[in-house]
Amino acid sequence: MRKKISFAGPSITEKEVAYVTDAVRNGWYENFDGYIRKLERAFADYVGVKYAIATHCCTHALHLAAAAVGLKAGDEVIVTDFSWVATAYAVSYTGADCVFVDIDPDTWTIDPACIRKAVTKKTKAIMLVHTFGHPAEMDEIMSIAKEYGLFVIEDAAPAVGAQYHGKPVGGFGDVACFSFQGAKMTVSGEGGMLLTDNEDIYQRAKLLADMGRTDREAVFWSDLLGFEYVMSNVSASLALAQLERVEELIAKKRQIFNWYDTRLKEVKGLKIVREKPGCRSNYCYPSLLLEDSVTADRDEILAGLRKLNIHARPGFPQMSRFPVYKQRFENPVAALVEKRGISLPSAANLEEDDIDFVCSSLTGLMREG
Ligand SMILES: Cc1ncc(COP(=O)(O)O)c(C=O)c1O
């Protein structure tokens, strides 16, 4: 059998090995948080914001963001209905209600027209996702937020390096969160990052991330019900090495996307998610939709690929259908992508002949259906 064609996975070089080795050897005593501080500064500078907090994972960063903007029971938050569940659960942890809205059929990011229709007197915030590394429609979203006085939280988990009109995502809303989980653009095993330009949000998030400790001189004192959400120095060393290579890592993802696009663009029945004019996608997860003309069943295609050791993924299930949520929402585009969407393998160790194999296998399975 051919090698496993992984859905995602990192590129690790001597740089990462050197930084982690240094953190393990020397990242203690007076250097116990050296890599964390460097990573926070470097990430904030890369995106162009003032403040950063490195966290254990992006889910924690999202929870901190939701709490730091003051979400609470009785508030409504407008949330995209197409994402990994962490996006919605971060809102729900605060007691606020998620109002799930539909996505744009071309980019699979939250549809601003649907946001506008969902605003009520109780709406406090918008939780958007830069889906699979494609920027959400930030101009329209920010103008709706301004009009109604809403906070904007950017879930940029997979989207480091994505740009909207030349500006990196993560610097548009009140607060943004990124992931360093092993399948993301830059990895640290598990890891996350909260970014903000707002000093109040930063101070509140910082307090909550570190067990509510305001006075570090009073060693064990805690002032409020906080969490243990901070990143470890060893994880930060790996994340920093990856961040310093981010443009190279994005270039590889974009090359993989181009290999797919060249082979699949003439195939009837496939709608490929491409970056919109004015946007730079990091193509973290190249994706496509099987149109109606394709009679093959999406899940059978995925199972057929799996038999060939090709690991592709289905679209996210609509989060609004999870048992945690009692109210039902009609979001037809998200429902369609759930059933007919495919994200293709784009691990950093894939080469052009692997993509060739994925494409010929995919088109073969489409014909069988
Ligand atoms: C859109 C989105 N948000 C949040 C997360 C959560 O990230 P983490 O695993 O670092 O908590 C993910 C992870 O897959 C994600 O894709």
Side-chain angles (χ1 to χ4, degrees):
M1 190 183 264
R2 289 175 66 104
K3 82 176 189 201
K4 176 180 177 188
I5 298 194
S6 299
F7 177 69
S11 151
I12 300 295
T13 63
E14 286 307 314
K15 185 187 193 76
E16 284 80 358
V17 174
Y19 281 29
V20 173
T21 305
D22 180 54
V24 172
R25 284 222 172 92
N26 306 312
W28 314 104
Y29 305 108
E30 62 268 48
N31 297 323
F32 78 99
D33 64 352
Y35 278 104
I36 299 171
R37 301 287 88 87
K38 272 192 204 155
L39 174 68
E40 288 175 341
R41 194 64 265 142
F43 209 108
D45 289 347
Y46 179 70
V47 173
V49 300
K50 284 196 197 134
Y51 305 107
I53 302 172
T55 56
H56 171 75
C57 61
C58 180
T59 305
H60 288 177
L62 286 165
H63 182 195
L64 292 174
V69 302
L71 298 181
K72 57 181 185 328
D75 294 335
E76 289 179 359
V77 179
I78 298 173
V79 183
T80 175
D81 206 1
F82 184 77
S83 184
W84 169 238
V85 64
T87 310
Y89 280 4
V91 170
S92 301
Y93 294 153
T94 67
D97 293 322
C98 292
V99 176
F100 291 100
V101 301
D102 214 351
I103 53 172
D104 176 278
D106 297 324
T107 64
W108 300 1
T109 60
I110 193 165
D111 183 338
C114 298
I115 297 178
R116 192 174 277 286
K117 281 193 215 135
V119 176
T120 71
K121 286 202 169 61
K122 291 184 183 168
T123 309
K124 188 89 180 278
I126 300 166
M127 172 70 94
L128 61 89
V129 179
H130 300 296
T131 308
F132 299 158
H134 194 294
E137 197 47 74
M138 292 315 302
D139 280 350
E140 280 175 71
I141 294 170
M142 294 312 296
S143 90
I144 297 168
K146 198 164 168 211
E147 192 177 329
Y148 294 99
L150 309 176
F151 287 108
V152 173
I153 303 173
E154 293 176 69
D155 180 346
V160 61
Q163 293 175 2
Y164 182 80
H165 297 310
K167 180 174 161 180
V169 303
F172 290 88
D174 297 278
V175 51
C177 303
F178 293 81
S179 175
F180 294 101
Q181 178 263 339
K184 296 298 184 297
M185 199 74 213
T186 48
V187 308
S188 66
E190 295 286 349
M193 186 65 72
L194 178 151
L195 296 184
T196 183
D197 265 330
N198 180 314
E199 193 181 349
D200 288 343
I201 291 177
Y202 170 68
Q203 295 297 356
R204 269 200 297 276
K206 191 133 187 73
L207 248 181
L208 289 169
D210 194 14
M211 284 299 194
R213 292 190 291 171
T214 39
D215 182 359
R216 297 303 299 269
E217 297 306 311
V219 182
F220 294 123
W221 189 258
S222 171
D223 282 294
L224 55 85
L225 188 65
F227 310 96
E228 182 59 39
Y229 278 0
V230 289
M231 186 185 265
S232 82
N233 199 51
V234 174
S235 296
S237 69
L238 181 48
L240 180 66
Q242 290 266 285
L243 183 65
E244 289 178 0
R245 295 179 53 226
V246 65
E247 291 303 324
E248 174 199 336
L249 300 174
I250 293 170
K252 178 70 195 263
K253 284 279 190 183
R254 291 180 64 88
Q255 180 175 53
I256 290 175
F257 172 80
N258 283 329
W259 288 333
Y260 278 124
D261 201 30
T262 312
R263 286 160 180 78
L264 297 176
K265 65 181 175 212
E266 305 297 346
V267 177
K268 286 215 164 49
L270 294 185
K271 182 173 177 193
I272 298 170
V273 178
R274 295 196 183 84
E275 67 193 357
K276 276 174 82 169
C279 294
R280 173 168 93 154
S281 173
N282 69 7
Y283 286 118
C284 191
Y285 305 124
S287 298
L288 50 81
L289 187 83
L290 301 175
E291 291 177 316
D292 287 350
S293 59
V294 178
T295 51
D297 179 72
R298 192 274 315 270
D299 291 335
E300 281 171 21
I301 291 179
L302 290 178
L305 291 172
R306 192 53 88 105
K307 280 196 194 126
L308 299 167
N309 219 5
I310 297 171
H311 293 236
R313 287 194 183 163
F316 289 120
Q318 283 177 267
M319 296 181 294
S320 61
R321 296 197 301 109
F322 292 152
V324 168
Y325 300 110
K326 304 298 172 226
Q327 198 185 336
R328 292 292 158 246
F329 295 85
E330 281 295 308
N331 290 319
V333 183
L336 181 66
V337 180
E338 172 180 344
K339 287 193 185 61
R340 303 285 282 174
I342 295 180
S343 294
L344 296 166
S346 63
N349 69 347
L350 298 183
E351 294 305 335
E352 191 165 7
D353 68 319
D354 298 317
I355 304 305
D356 233 0
F357 181 56
V358 176
C359 292
S360 56
S361 305
L362 173 68
T363 47
L365 287 159
M366 281 167 61
R367 277 194 297 273
E368 277 172 29

